[in-house]
Amino acid sequence: MNRRMKKLIFATNNAHKLGEVQALLGDDFELVTLRECGITEDIPETAETLEGNALQKARYVYSKTGLDCFADDTGLEVDALGGAPGVHSARYATDGHDFAANNRLLLKNLEGAQERTARFRTVIALIIDGVEYTFEGRVEGTIATEESGSEGFGYDPLFVPSGEIITFAQMSAEAKNAISHRGRAVAELVKFLKTLS
Ligand code: ITT
């Protein structure tokens, strides 16, 4: 059988995310990295919503390459903090992607809080032949009072998904992907991509 793998640029510099999404997409699609298509600069993410940022990143890549591409943006929305860090999740504590500092700040800001409910929300913006589509996935959960686990990245050591007693960082990648915000958004993306082929 000579099935053609469909190439798609995934507009991310986050190697963890690339691995997670390639595993979810399976063999029908080959993800192309930004570096592989010559984009080494930081792509602007200046919108005030996840949807806006995902679209901004995808449009940037499409305008540079003219190739099918998608971008995602994820935020952790903590109810007791009015939805923060939300769209600012990557740069919550510092200007860089300092996961440890972000987690420390989150714990500090929730010190003594009774209500610790939160959700991860991912929005994916896809551009195929110049047409834009968006997909969303979310997972509800709570913020633990201390970090546990060493899998995953970002806020995973603090996030306990609803119905579980362990954090995302204590789960295997497969177990996390099966219920995660990005897993669910990518499932929607894949369902849609399969209708095209
Ligand atoms: P790119 O913009 O290069 O794709 P990023 O690390 O900024 O990578 P996002 O904008 O999607 O990724 O996510 C913003 C932040 O939210 C990210 O830096 C992490 O701190 C956190 N985050 C995203 N997905 C997560 C996940 O699955 N588990 C834990 N934290 C996550």
Side-chain angles (χ1 to χ4, degrees):
M1 190 165 58
N2 184 18
R3 270 166 59 208
R4 207 163 55 90
M5 265 171 103
K6 202 163 165 45
K7 290 194 179 194
L8 271 177
I9 301 170
F10 182 13
T12 181
N13 289 310
N14 181 324
H16 289 278
K17 279 172 38 174
L18 197 81
E20 279 189 10
V21 174
Q22 181 68 74
L24 288 162
L25 277 178
D27 291 342
D28 288 348
F29 301 92
E30 180 190 343
L31 290 185
V32 179
T33 64
L34 288 174
R35 194 167 293 278
E36 281 166 338
C37 54
I39 297 177
T40 51
E41 66 275 23
D42 273 345
I43 301 178
E45 282 183 65
T46 53
E48 274 308 308
T49 61
L50 299 175
E51 290 79 359
N53 273 339
L55 276 165
Q56 188 179 19
K57 288 193 273 186
R59 284 173 185 157
Y60 183 94
V61 173
Y62 193 76
S63 72
K64 290 262 166 173
T65 65
L67 300 173
D68 294 342
C69 59
F70 67 94
D72 77 332
D73 200 26
T74 294
L76 176 68
E77 300 171 342
V78 180
D79 294 325
L81 303 177
V87 73
H88 305 294
S89 292
R91 294 178 177 79
Y92 188 38
T94 69
D95 218 21
H97 288 59
D98 187 337
F99 296 148
N102 286 343
N103 285 336
R104 278 197 302 275
L105 180 61
L106 181 58
L107 282 178
K108 183 166 168 281
N109 288 344
L110 281 178
E111 241 165 42
Q114 298 294 317
E115 186 198 11
R116 303 184 76 91
T117 50
R119 73 204 49 77
F120 275 116
R121 201 159 66 83
T122 293
V123 176
I124 293 177
L126 169 74
I127 305 183
I128 297 272
D129 294 331
V131 183
E132 296 176 351
Y133 308 86
T134 57
F135 308 91
E136 188 186 305
R138 56 173 74 197
V139 58
E140 301 288 332
T142 52
I143 304 301
T145 51
E146 59 182 40
E147 293 187 36
S148 306
S150 54
E151 301 296 319
F153 67 100
Y155 299 95
D156 281 346
L158 287 176
F159 188 82
V160 180
S162 297
E164 302 283 342
I165 53 167
I166 57 174
T167 68
F168 266 161
Q170 292 173 294
M171 295 182 179
S172 66
E174 296 71 37
K176 176 187 168 186
N177 281 342
I179 58 168
S180 80
H181 44 302
R182 195 159 29 258
R184 288 174 173 158
V186 174
E188 293 300 309
L189 170 74
V190 171
K191 203 161 47 168
F192 174 77
L193 288 171
K194 292 203 162 146
T195 67
L196 297 180
S197 50

